[in-house]
Amino acid sequence: MVRKRGSITVFLSLAGILIFALLGTLLETARYTACGNHAARTLRTASEALLSEYSLPLYENYGLFFLESEGKPYEEVMAAYVGTSLEKAKKGTMDFFTGQTNEIQVTEKTYVGDNGAKPLQKEITQYMARKITSEQLKKFLNQSQKVAETEKQAEDIEKTVEEQKEAAELDEEFLKLMEQVDGITVSNGKICCANEFVKMFVTGKKQSGSFGITENMVWEKMKKKLDDTPKNWEKLRPKEFSSRVKRVRKLTEDAMKQAEKLKRAYQKSAGRESSFAGHDKKLGELIRSLSVLSENKKILEETERLLQEKVTGETKEELKELWKNYDTATIVFDYTGIEKSGGKNPLEALSGSWKEGILNLVCEKPDRLSRKEVSMPDGFAGQYQQQEKGMEDYGKRVSGLADEEEVELSGIIKDMGGYAMDEFCLDSYIRHRFDSFTQKTSGWENALDYQWEYIASGKNTDKKNLKCVLNRILLIRTVANFFSICRDSAKKTEAYTAAAGIVGFTGLEPLIRLTQTLILLVWSLVESLVDVAGLLLEKNIPIVKSPARIQTKFSQLFQISGREIIKRAKKLKAAGEQSFGYKDYLFLFLAATKQGTRLYRIMDIIQWDMRKNGHPRFQLGRCVFSFRVKGTFSFPSRFFRMAPVEKLLGRKLYAHSVSCEITAGYL
């Protein structure tokens, strides 16, 4: 009986040990799971505690949360927070969550400018989402649509000028040929005749009909320069005449080349629809008459040969016979309207005034403009290799019109169809947080005072940025004003009359039309200078004016000065709440700038200004938006270290290792 009781006791003991080991294993497994969750929670808390150490001046001045990558390493800061949390577990009655940190490692950081500065965009969008609504975006798009319509109008103007230039190409070649053959030019209403020209030799009667001249004013100039040696060979001075013949022969060769160019231009336009059919027909007849130039050239060449030898009576007889065929009457140019010539070209006045630059023309006190500059514009864009190529100098478009008669008005603003809420948030943030020429928002000392202008233009000085913005506004206003002026028949007639006077010949209708269009463009541009000056003075400038609201008179196209422009601008009415003002145009230019470019330029400004205001070592590019951290922790075993469990497992377990990885950031 004693042996039986012992067997039961051993059996029960063994069974109890197994049950106890099983319970211990279950408890320890559950504890390990809880420790893993505790480790992840502790690492998350430490990460968020680190994020709470954001740059305070960056938040206070710009409303942005970013973590400076300076001072203690992130791992060391988080290890301190984790250690505190794990040590607190020791103070409890149950020591289940006490552990230690083996390693904390930040494996990845996302900086402000990464991925096209998307972190900065996210921060700004979240910040501004509480301040703006979709209705405000809709209102902006509706306002900007009227301005955007000028893009199509600009393309129409360019197309018109291009077509007129093609039609006027014949006339331009015609004028060059006229100077070579007849020696006649007209400049500022003055008729001039060259000292030497193809028709300068008198072979018959010295009268206008013998030289194909139909206008008395032209004949009066030409007859003073004629050489009657071929009519009076007894007065021949061989050496002098030979030199003159040689020069005229060269002129004749040049005229023949010019005749070929005129012929090619004529053939190019043949068959093309044109409103100048009668004009083109006359040119066709003229081109056919130019064949006499080759015969005249032969006479000149033969004369040169004869004069190289000793001149005798026989030589003079040969010359007399030879020159009977020298033709000065067949080629007849149309000088119709030359008696009405006169007047200066407004393009010349614009060219002279534009050299002063737009700032001196539209700013009331240009000497008081900011002179601030920076050494490295677009620094962050360059660092991330996102710099825009070929930053345009819009002022060159005005110079091109004044000096080269080149018309380029399109491409000032982009299509707003893809403009969405995130971009509107970005531009609204710029409007709320940064300064412009007409707005000061903060008391900070700025590296550049015209910050909106820098974001839109990216130049290294305030003056250059302001100049770029004003030139863009000027071109937009020029397009709008052109169509307003063209609706005024009196102004169009005035421009046409001036164009006819400048060209000098009413028979050159295509050239007159081109010149009229260029005069109207200059008129529009001078009116736009008044508009730009008015915008800076906070005057009301309608996007589309009625013809009656055009301030500039034709006579004022020759009085382009800052004083005159400011004087007219001050007469305009003050802007109202619904006026489309300087800041609205600038807001439009911001929208037309690439989103990434705007973000990087914002970064430039923030870094420059932080350094100027007590933070000389601040590096926005090193500020962190989010990071990924990996933590490894160990928790000592509790139940697995009991002797029965260790014997059952057949090994000793001193600690359990836990690894976790999380991403932490400001959104």
Side-chain angles (χ1 to χ4, degrees), residues 384-396:
Y384 284 93
Q385 297 182 343
Q386 297 292 324
Q387 204 161 3
E388 285 197 45
K389 297 180 180 178
M391 297 300 293
E392 184 172 357
D393 180 358
Y394 293 96
K396 287 185 177 180

Side-chain angles (χ1 to χ4, degrees), residues 5 26 45 67 89 127 166 172 197 208 285 288 320 339 393 402 405 447 466 518 543 553 579 581 598 622 637:
R5 288 193 190 103
L26 292 173
T45 302
L67 191 62
Y127 177 77
E166 288 181 4
E172 290 169 348
F197 46 94
S208 60
E285 294 172 357
R288 286 188 289 273
K320 184 177 181 180
E339 70 279 357
D393 180 358
E405 298 184 356
L466 179 61
L518 295 175
I543 295 174
K553 298 177 182 178
S579 298
R598 279 174 277 167
R622 297 295 299 163
S637 298

Side-chain angles (χ1 to χ4, degrees), residues 80-111:
Y81 284 117
V82 169
T84 301
S85 179
L86 292 179
E87 288 173 5
K88 283 185 177 180
K90 295 180 180 179
K91 298 178 182 179
T93 55
M94 295 297 290
D95 193 16
F96 287 162
F97 295 130
T98 298
Q100 68 179 24
T101 305
N102 295 336
E103 182 184 30
I104 292 179
Q105 181 183 9
V106 175
T107 59
E108 182 182 331
K109 293 179 182 178
T110 301
Y111 295 98

Side-chain angles (χ1 to χ4, degrees), residues 30-45 97 633 635 656 658-660:
R31 177 175 167 271
Y32 281 170
T33 301
C35 285
N37 293 335
H38 178 58
R41 187 166 53 250
T42 300
L43 186 61
R44 172 68 66 182
T45 302
F97 295 130
F633 309 93
F635 295 88
H656 173 62
V658 174
S659 293
C660 52

Side-chain angles (χ1 to χ4, degrees), residues 345-354 557-560:
N345 193 335
L347 285 170
E348 296 176 6
L350 175 63
S351 179
S353 301
W354 190 250
L557 301 185
F558 306 96
Q559 304 168 3
I560 307 174

Side-chain angles (χ1 to χ4, degrees), residues 2-264:
V2 174
R3 290 180 62 188
K4 283 185 178 181
R5 288 193 190 103
S7 297
I8 292 171
T9 301
V10 171
F11 174 77
L12 290 175
S13 297
L14 291 173
I17 290 171
L18 289 173
I19 293 170
F20 188 78
L22 178 61
L23 289 173
T25 300
L26 292 173
L27 287 171
E28 191 74 320
T29 302
R31 177 175 167 271
Y32 281 170
T33 301
C35 285
N37 293 335
H38 178 58
R41 187 166 53 250
T42 300
L43 186 61
R44 172 68 66 182
T45 302
S47 300
E48 292 176 351
L50 173 62
L51 290 171
S52 70
E53 298 183 10
Y54 55 83
S55 172
L56 186 59
L58 190 61
Y59 171 72
E60 289 177 339
N61 290 282
Y62 300 102
L64 302 174
F65 289 102
F66 288 109
L67 191 62
E68 288 190 68
S69 187
E70 298 290 340
K72 287 184 179 181
Y74 291 176
E75 291 87 351
E76 187 176 331
V77 175
M78 285 187 286
Y81 284 117
V82 169
T84 301
S85 179
L86 292 179
E87 288 173 5
K88 283 185 177 180
K90 295 180 180 179
K91 298 178 182 179
T93 55
M94 295 297 290
D95 193 16
F96 287 162
F97 295 130
T98 298
Q100 68 179 24
T101 305
N102 295 336
E103 182 184 30
I104 292 179
Q105 181 183 9
V106 175
T107 59
E108 182 182 331
K109 293 179 182 178
T110 301
Y111 295 98
V112 182
D114 288 351
N115 303 316
K118 282 293 188 291
L120 179 60
Q121 177 66 56
K122 288 180 180 179
E123 283 269 0
I124 289 172
T125 301
Q126 288 296 316
Y127 177 77
M128 293 305 300
R130 300 186 295 272
K131 298 178 181 292
I132 62 176
T133 65
S134 59
E135 287 301 314
Q136 290 172 301
L137 171 61
K138 185 177 180 180
K139 181 180 178 181
F140 166 69
L141 291 175
N142 288 337
Q143 284 182 316
S144 63
Q145 184 59 37
K146 291 183 180 179
V147 181
E149 288 173 1
T150 61
E151 181 67 18
K152 177 63 170 63
Q153 294 173 336
E155 292 173 358
D156 291 341
I157 294 172
E158 290 177 354
K159 183 179 179 181
T160 298
V161 171
E162 188 61 32
E163 290 173 351
Q164 289 179 343
K165 279 188 173 181
E166 288 181 4
E169 183 181 355
L170 287 168
D171 288 348
E172 290 169 348
E173 302 300 339
F174 170 88
L175 287 173
K176 294 175 186 176
L177 187 64
M178 181 186 293
E179 182 178 1
Q180 292 165 336
V181 176
D182 282 0
I184 298 298
T185 57
V186 177
S187 178
N188 293 329
K190 184 178 180 181
I191 303 172
C192 300
C193 185
N195 291 323
E196 292 171 341
F197 46 94
V198 172
K199 287 187 184 179
M200 71 175 297
F201 297 116
V202 181
T203 59
K205 292 183 179 181
K206 194 175 183 179
Q207 58 187 25
S208 60
S210 300
F211 292 85
I213 303 300
T214 58
E215 299 294 332
N216 187 58
M217 293 178 69
V218 176
W219 173 243
E220 289 298 321
K221 293 292 181 180
M222 179 188 280
K223 69 181 182 179
K224 297 175 183 178
K225 303 296 177 75
L226 297 177
D227 184 340
D228 59 0
T229 301
K231 189 177 179 182
N232 301 289
W233 291 109
E234 64 277 3
K235 297 180 180 180
L236 173 65
R237 294 179 181 178
K239 187 174 181 180
E240 181 182 325
F241 187 67
S242 178
S243 297
R244 177 165 286 185
V245 167
K246 183 177 181 180
R247 292 193 294 272
V248 173
R249 189 255 305 160
K250 179 66 169 61
L251 277 171
T252 304
E253 290 173 349
D254 292 340
M256 291 171 68
K257 292 177 183 177
Q258 186 63 31
E260 283 299 315
K261 289 178 68 175
L262 182 62
K263 185 177 180 180
R264 286 195 296 271

